[in-house]
Amino acid sequence: MHTLYTTLLEEATHILTKEVSVTEKLQSICDLLEEKVSHYDWVGFYFADAEKRLLHLGPYTGEATDHTVIPFGKGICGQVAESNQTFLVDDVNAQSNYIACSMTVKSEIVVPLFVEGKNIGQIDIDSHTLRAFTQEDQQFLETLNEKIASLYV
């Protein structure tokens, strides 16, 4: 894994051990990723209400969004809530089910957050660059979410 991502995992692990609320920890992780990774222009967490089949926006960094509640199946985030699979989108304009948060967003990656095998939410990252995300981003974010899951067990 790229040394930047290794360093970020170490920093995130440190954040997760701080004596602050879960919300503050997740906000710090959003801030860290948006600040340190040049192609991460919006970083946020959505959490699932499985009964109502809705995602609710949690901590995030970047431009304000109107998409604070997303139905399962709608947009990239809603698709990940149903598929339980990471979704890496090279060009959001090529996705028929994409919910435009901003005209500047060109690509997106959404990685589910599993706690004891259950998808409780996801990390969502937007980029203003086409084809911004690689398999390395995916591996890094999946590993990060494994660490974040420890907050919920």
Side-chain angles (χ1 to χ4, degrees), residues 1-151:
M1 192 179 299
H2 189 278
T3 53
L4 170 63
Y5 293 140
T6 303
T7 302
L8 289 175
L9 284 172
E10 290 169 6
E11 291 183 46
T13 301
H14 176 71
I15 289 167
L16 295 174
T17 63
K18 289 185 176 180
E19 293 293 323
V20 296
S21 71
V22 169
T23 299
E24 289 172 291
K25 291 175 186 183
L26 295 178
Q27 184 64 59
S28 293
I29 287 173
C30 290
D31 296 343
L32 173 72
L33 297 183
E34 191 268 342
E35 179 186 320
K36 301 283 180 153
V37 185
S38 61
H39 59 281
Y40 288 14
D41 296 305
W42 190 95
V43 179
F45 289 92
Y46 282 93
F47 290 95
D49 179 338
E51 251 179 56
K52 294 183 180 171
R53 295 183 46 78
L54 294 172
L55 293 167
H56 294 274
L57 181 61
Y60 73 93
T61 299
E63 289 180 39
T65 179
D66 292 335
H67 302 116
T68 58
V69 179
I70 299 174
F72 282 24
K74 185 90 172 127
I76 309 306
C77 291
Q79 290 176 68
V80 169
E82 289 193 326
S83 73
N84 295 323
Q85 301 288 319
T86 295
F87 199 160
L88 192 159
V89 181
D90 287 333
D91 180 358
V92 295
N93 292 318
Q95 290 293 317
S96 59
N97 194 12
Y98 176 67
I99 303 172
C101 292
S102 162
M103 296 311 293
T104 57
V105 175
K106 304 286 188 240
S107 56
E108 180 173 12
I109 187 169
V110 179
V111 178
L113 174 61
F114 295 102
V115 174
E116 297 176 337
K118 184 179 178 207
N119 183 350
I120 66 152
Q122 53 204 223
I123 189 169
D124 176 21
I125 302 180
D126 295 342
S127 180
H128 300 162
T129 307
L130 277 174
R131 290 177 288 288
F133 304 106
T134 65
Q135 290 303 310
E136 197 168 31
D137 289 289
Q138 181 172 335
Q139 180 187 1
F140 161 65
L141 294 167
E142 288 172 351
T143 302
L144 176 63
N145 271 2
E146 288 170 14
K147 292 182 179 300
I148 290 169
S150 69
L151 296 173

